[in-house]
């Protein structure tokens, strides 16, 4: 499989709330702080981590919706973080996003048919006389009746709306879809249906999917690989089964422990570890995880941990050997 996306040592910063635009000592929020990951064509990568760790910011940077402060985002080998207008235009033609809240993601004044037709027109996917047929085809593809084309988003259920959101992403015929918490707002049974739909679409099309979630059970079901994010960095990454069976990073282990202990079907709690996740405004020195890590050594306070490779797996910790 060829590598479609390569993120290397990416940094994204925001001005901290309260510091003025002309404040010379303007403080920065390091939302993404040296994140690296890879996604191959046709592969599904889960991106997990506590709320606020930088998942959405990383996703938006990949789609060129956030400015970056350093690092590279190679899409098909071209660095989009420093891409030309033509490169970014190509990125827009080959990537799509599915959002968390299907209602606010759809224009309430347009009908479902108009929403999908607009993407087809803007992206020049089919000739004008074929737009209607393609809209019907897209609705079919996501398991909706073509008659729904005349309806407005508010007359649909949350699950139906999210199917429209997926149809809109597919209208682009993208090579990469980024789904940011796209089932989090749905009832559990509807979540299952949407996951099944994504599994089916992934089989039928050669789609790469970056699936952001804080639900590890969904990752286990849907994803080939998983990347675990902590305070702006990927701390462990690898095939789902390897990572779930024998986590190497203490943070990954804590996340997995927190679902295994309670009930395998349960969602990952927002706070799986003791203590608050530290703020990206004041990143801890050395390994960012050391204040919450029960395996921390004095050195973890001072220096960044090394990255180890183990087969298809990478993890960044001072301990190269299994701790669990
Ligand atoms: N537009 C923004 N301006 C300032 N800070 C932001 C902005 N977007 C995100 N952040 C901050 O960046 C950090 C990461 O946020 P986010 O990427 O949304 O995390 P996640 O998706 O993992 O919950 C948080 O501390 C958040 O408050
Ligand atoms: Mg988010």
């Amino acid at each position: 499989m060829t590598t479609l996306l390569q993120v290397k040592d990416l940094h994204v910063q925001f001005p901290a709330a309260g510091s003025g635009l002309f404040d010379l000592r303007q403080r920065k929020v390091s939302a993404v702080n040296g994140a690296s990951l890879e996604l191959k064509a046709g592969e599904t990568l889960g991106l997990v981590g506590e709320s606020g760790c930088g998942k959405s910011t990383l996703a938006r940077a990949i789609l060129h919706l956030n400015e970056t402060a350093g690092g590279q985002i190679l899409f098909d080998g071209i660095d989009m973080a420093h891409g030309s207008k033509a490169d970014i235009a190509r990125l827009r033609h080959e990537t799509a996003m599915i959002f968390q809240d299907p209602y606010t993601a759809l224009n309430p004044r347009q009908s479902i048919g108009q929403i999908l037709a607009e993407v087809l027109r803007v992206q020049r996917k089919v000739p004008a006389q074929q737009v209607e047929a393609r809209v019907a085809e897209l609705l079919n593809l996501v398991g909706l009746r073509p008659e729904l084309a005349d309806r407005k988003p508010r007359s649909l259920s949350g699950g139906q709306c999210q199917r429209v959101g997926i149809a809109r992403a597919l209208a682009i015929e993208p090579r990469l879809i980024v789904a940011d918490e796209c089932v989090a707002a749905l009832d559990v049974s509807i979540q299952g249906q949407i996951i099944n739909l994504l599994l089916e679409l992934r089989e039928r099309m050669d789609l790469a999917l970056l699936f952001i979630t804080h639900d590890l059970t969904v990752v286990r079901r849907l994803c080939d690989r998983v990347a675990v994010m902590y305070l702006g960095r990927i701390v462990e990454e690898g095939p789902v089964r390897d990572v779930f069976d024998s986590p190497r990073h203490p943070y990954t282990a804590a996340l997995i422990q927190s679902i295994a202990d309670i009930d395998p079907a349960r969602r990952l709690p927002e706070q799986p570890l003791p203590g608050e996740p530290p703020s990206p405004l004041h990143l801890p020195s050395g390994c960012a995880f050391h204040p919450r890590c029960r395996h921390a050594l004095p050195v973890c306070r001072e220096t960044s941990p090394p990255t180890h490779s183990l087969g298809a797996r990478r993890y960044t910790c001072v301990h190269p050997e299994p701790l669990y």
Side-chain angles (χ1 to χ4, degrees):
M1 281 198 294
T2 51
T3 300
L4 181 65
L5 174 74
Q6 239 181 328
V7 175
K8 291 186 185 172
D9 194 25
L10 193 73
H11 291 255
V12 181
Q13 298 179 333
F14 298 108
S19 58
L21 195 58
F22 299 106
D23 187 345
L24 286 176
R25 287 172 298 121
Q26 193 179 56
R27 289 187 308 153
K28 296 273 202 301
V29 178
S30 298
V32 176
N33 186 40
S36 300
L37 56 81
E38 263 189 50
L39 187 52
K40 293 193 165 57
E43 189 178 55
T44 301
L45 174 67
L47 179 61
V48 301
E50 286 161 299
S51 177
C53 73
K55 304 180 296 294
S56 297
T57 305
L58 174 58
R60 292 173 56 80
I62 288 170
L63 299 179
H64 212 265
L65 302 170
N66 264 342
E67 277 194 37
T68 55
Q72 292 183 307
I73 302 165
L74 302 171
F75 185 78
D76 234 0
I78 295 169
D79 184 8
M80 294 296 173
H82 307 95
S84 66
K85 270 196 177 150
D87 292 333
I88 306 306
R90 195 167 70 87
L91 186 76
R92 297 266 174 270
H93 278 281
E94 302 199 333
T95 56
M97 188 146 180
I98 306 171
F99 298 91
Q100 172 167 1
D101 182 345
Y103 285 106
T104 56
L106 304 175
N107 183 342
R109 281 181 290 278
Q110 288 185 317
S111 71
I112 303 308
Q114 285 168 331
I115 288 168
L116 297 176
E118 187 173 292
V119 178
L120 295 172
R121 259 196 306 276
V122 170
Q123 300 261 349
R124 298 200 191 90
K125 287 296 174 189
V126 292
Q129 66 273 22
Q130 286 171 28
V131 165
E132 200 178 327
R134 180 64 182 149
V135 166
E137 207 173 272
L138 283 165
L139 289 173
N140 250 322
L141 196 60
V142 297
L144 294 175
R145 283 174 295 114
E147 297 86 82
L148 289 185
D150 296 329
R151 304 257 295 266
K152 296 271 171 66
R154 67 171 174 277
S155 72
L156 303 187
S157 69
Q160 285 174 321
C161 270
Q162 198 50 296
R163 286 174 192 267
V164 174
I166 294 170
R168 184 173 59 176
L170 294 174
I172 294 175
E173 297 169 40
R175 294 164 72 201
L176 169 67
I177 289 186
V178 176
D180 191 356
E181 303 275 10
C182 77
V183 296
L186 303 173
D187 292 343
V188 173
S189 65
I190 311 294
Q191 277 185 16
Q193 292 171 16
I194 297 290
I195 298 298
N196 284 341
L197 172 63
L198 289 172
L199 279 167
E200 192 191 309
L201 294 171
R202 197 187 60 173
E203 290 299 307
R204 286 168 66 169
M205 301 170 191
D206 195 26
L207 261 182
L209 182 62
L210 178 60
F211 191 85
I212 301 174
T213 178
H214 50 258
D215 190 338
L216 288 185
T217 54
V218 172
V219 171
R220 192 149 41 180
R221 213 163 134 213
L222 181 67
C223 301
D224 304 307
R225 283 167 54 242
V226 60
V228 181
M229 195 165 186
Y230 190 80
L231 272 183
R233 271 173 195 259
I234 307 301
V235 295
E236 178 155 7
E237 183 247 298
V240 165
R241 180 173 291 180
D242 295 355
V243 173
F244 275 68
D245 285 355
S246 61
R248 288 298 178 107
H249 194 283
Y251 179 61
T252 315
L255 291 186
I256 289 168
Q257 197 61 33
S258 69
I259 54 165
D261 269 358
I262 315 161
D263 164 8
R266 216 167 132 167
R267 311 187 66 195
L268 177 66
E270 285 282 296
Q271 299 284 343
L273 287 160
E276 288 286 305
S279 151
L281 248 179
H282 309 283
L283 291 175
S285 61
C287 172
F289 186 59
H290 86 258
R292 296 166 86 192
C293 181
R294 56 194 185 96
H295 299 282
L297 304 176
V299 66
C300 303
R301 222 172 303 149
E302 277 130 44
T303 49
S304 296
T307 299
H308 308 282
S309 292
L310 177 74
R313 185 116 68 101
R314 282 185 316 126
Y315 55 99
T316 299
C317 179
V318 71
H319 301 286
E321 301 303 325
L323 292 164
Y324 305 92

